[in-house]
């Protein structure tokens, strides 16, 4: 496996390997000071980022390499140089390319023309790096993954997609509660359900937020207006998603010891109340920290070529 473009690119064994290695990085953050000594990793961000960018840059530095962060106006890509040519040139310099942009097809084109690993740092459809940190956080909090029930409530886009795929790989009962018109992509749901059929997991989608969270060990949400969505959609989205706000009333239907998860940044008072995100059940800052340890594990496992991947299934 060369690239990490979506979570379902991993096998269940790959996922376990990344999570184990991430835990090792958490225990010993500087365990591989020279793995990438003298090398560079390029990080291309076509959207803002706090966690993904800084955690990857930090992970790259800890592995001994120099991170080179660039945006669209820094590269000739912004002036019309093709994705294909950019990918070929980057492959002559850097050891890996981390990319946050809009179109998944653009990232796939980049990966297909690069000889170095390409890592999806958030696209319209996927956020694989986030989902790995999410499962790492759940596993360290709960001591296990199998048998857990996790609900995502809200907009069924990138973060939800990757959580469904990761949950399926780990054999979780993972549910998505989203309003009609904002439910996850049927291709992603079908893919996650096919994986779950092999791992003993379960993937369901419902329009009922209460049904989604019923008895869950963790409830997850994300913003109602993602990067790239038009500001003009805000008023309509606030109305449609209002019944999906994660608040104490909704969490009362979950497990008594339910954990609250969010990829951040959050909008207190919209998708989650301040009481919940700042409360004792919230593990959002552990998720944020684990972005760093999983970034190191993703880089090491991809660069060592040890992940099997599911390219044949793609
Ligand atoms: N969760 C996440 O990806 O955050 P950033 O947008 O800050 O990178
Ligand atoms: N769904 C959000 C996630 C941000 C990390 C977005 O795409 O903006």
């Amino acid at each position: 496996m060369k690239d990490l473009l979506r979570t379902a690119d991993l096998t269940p064994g790959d996922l376990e390997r990344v999570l184990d290695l991430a835990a090792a990085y958490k225990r010993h953050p500087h365990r591989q000071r020279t793995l990438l000594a003298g090398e560079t990793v390029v990080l291309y961000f076509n959207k803002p980022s706090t966690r993904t960018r800084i955690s990857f840059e930090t992970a790259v530095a800890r592995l001994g390499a120099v991170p080179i962060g660039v945006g669209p106006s820094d590269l000739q890509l912004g002036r019309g140089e093709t994705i294909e040519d950019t990918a070929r040139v980057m492959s002559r310099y850097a050891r890996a390319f981390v990319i946050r942009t809009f179109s998944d097809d653009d990232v796939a084109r980049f990966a297909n023309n690069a000889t170095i690993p390409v890592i999806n740092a958030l696209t319209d459809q996927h956020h694989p790096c986030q989902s790995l940190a999410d499962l790492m956080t759940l596993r360290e909090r709960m001591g296990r993954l199998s048998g857990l029930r996790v609900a995502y409530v809200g907009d069924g886009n990138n973060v939800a997609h990757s959580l469904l795929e990761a949950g399926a790989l780990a054999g979780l009962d993972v549910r998505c509660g989203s309003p009609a018109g904002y439910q996850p992509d049927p291709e992603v749901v079908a893919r996650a359900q096919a994986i779950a059929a092999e791992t003993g997991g379960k993937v369901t989608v419902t329009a009922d937020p209460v049904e989604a969270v019923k008895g869950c060990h963790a409830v997850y949400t994300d913003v109602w207006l993602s990067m790239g969505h038009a500001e003009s959609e805000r008023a309509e989205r606030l109305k449609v998603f209002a019944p999906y706000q994660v608040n104490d009333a909704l969490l009362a239907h979950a497990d008594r010891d339910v954990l609250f998860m969010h990829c951040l940044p959050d909008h207190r008072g919209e998708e989650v109340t301040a009481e919940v995100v700042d409360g004792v059940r919230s593990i959002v800052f552990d998720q944020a920290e684990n972005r760093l340890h999983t970034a190191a594990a993703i880089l090491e496992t991809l660069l060592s070529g040890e992940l099997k991947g599911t390219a044949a299934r793609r």
Side-chain angles (χ1 to χ4, degrees):
M1 170 170 170
K2 179 175 83 69
D3 311 300
L4 178 61
L5 303 191
R6 64 188 284 180
T7 309
D9 286 346
L10 299 164
T11 65
D14 292 335
L15 173 68
E16 202 176 332
R17 168 68 183 140
V18 173
L19 297 186
D20 287 346
L21 191 57
Y25 272 106
K26 191 163 186 169
R27 284 191 299 274
H28 302 290
H30 298 280
R31 62 192 294 279
Q32 289 282 17
R33 282 174 198 277
T34 56
L35 188 73
L36 299 179
E39 306 285 357
T40 58
V41 170
V42 177
L43 302 104
Y44 173 82
F45 281 80
N46 195 12
K47 300 174 183 172
S49 170
T50 297
R51 280 142 290 271
T52 309
R53 176 156 180 174
I54 307 304
S55 63
F56 261 103
E57 291 204 9
T58 304
V60 167
R62 287 182 177 183
L63 295 172
V66 174
I68 303 179
V70 289
S73 58
D74 298 312
L75 299 185
Q76 299 285 7
L77 192 57
R79 291 182 56 248
E81 186 168 18
T82 65
I83 287 174
E84 288 77 6
D85 285 1
T86 308
R88 291 177 190 123
V89 172
M90 290 299 149
S91 301
R92 305 285 179 114
Y93 304 144
R95 290 296 306 277
F97 193 82
V98 178
I99 176 167
R100 169 173 288 197
T101 191
F102 297 91
S103 154
D104 287 80
D105 287 346
D106 285 356
V107 176
R109 273 170 64 201
F110 199 102
N112 289 339
N113 287 278
T115 54
I116 54 174
V118 174
I119 299 167
N120 179 350
L122 180 76
T123 49
D124 289 340
Q125 289 284 83
H126 296 284
H127 201 0
C129 301
Q130 180 67 49
S131 69
L132 297 177
D134 297 338
L135 287 210
M136 177 184 181
T137 311
L138 265 177
R139 195 175 76 164
E140 71 186 8
R141 277 297 179 131
M142 303 296 292
R144 69 186 206 281
L145 285 174
S146 70
L148 293 186
R149 295 182 292 274
V150 176
Y152 175 96
V153 180
D155 194 5
N157 69 340
N158 44 25
V159 169
H161 288 162
S162 294
L163 186 73
L164 290 178
E165 293 185 353
L169 282 170
L172 305 189
D173 172 349
V174 56
R175 303 114 179 243
C176 184
S178 305
Y182 300 89
Q183 294 193 337
D185 186 327
E187 184 272 333
V188 171
V189 175
R191 180 84 176 265
Q193 285 172 335
I195 295 169
E198 290 174 23
T199 61
K202 194 173 164 196
V203 175
T204 45
V205 177
T206 170
D208 181 351
V210 172
E211 185 188 323
V213 306
K214 200 156 268 172
C216 278
H217 299 101
V219 172
Y220 198 126
T221 191
D222 183 18
V223 292
W224 291 341
L225 194 75
S226 284
M227 291 181 278
H229 292 156
E231 203 47 44
S232 56
E233 288 182 42
R234 180 175 287 279
E236 170 69 7
R237 282 174 171 268
L238 287 181
K239 209 166 65 200
V240 171
F241 284 112
Y244 297 80
Q245 184 189 63
V246 179
N247 50 36
D248 287 329
L250 184 63
L251 291 183
H253 298 280
D255 185 80
R256 201 170 51 102
D257 298 318
V258 64
L259 299 171
F260 171 70
M261 303 180 75
H262 196 306
C263 56
L264 301 181
D266 69 89
H267 288 73
R268 289 169 172 79
E270 291 188 11
E271 76 275 6
V272 61
T273 58
E275 290 73 24
V276 168
V277 73
D278 297 321
V280 290
R281 296 175 291 201
S282 174
I283 57 171
V284 300
F285 297 110
D286 292 331
Q287 290 174 261
E289 175 183 342
N290 289 338
R291 294 298 309 276
L292 171 59
H293 310 301
T294 46
I298 291 163
L299 286 165
E300 181 180 331
T301 51
L302 283 180
L303 284 163
S304 66
E306 66 185 281
L307 299 180
K308 288 197 178 64
T310 55
R313 277 205 250 159
R314 233 194 265 167

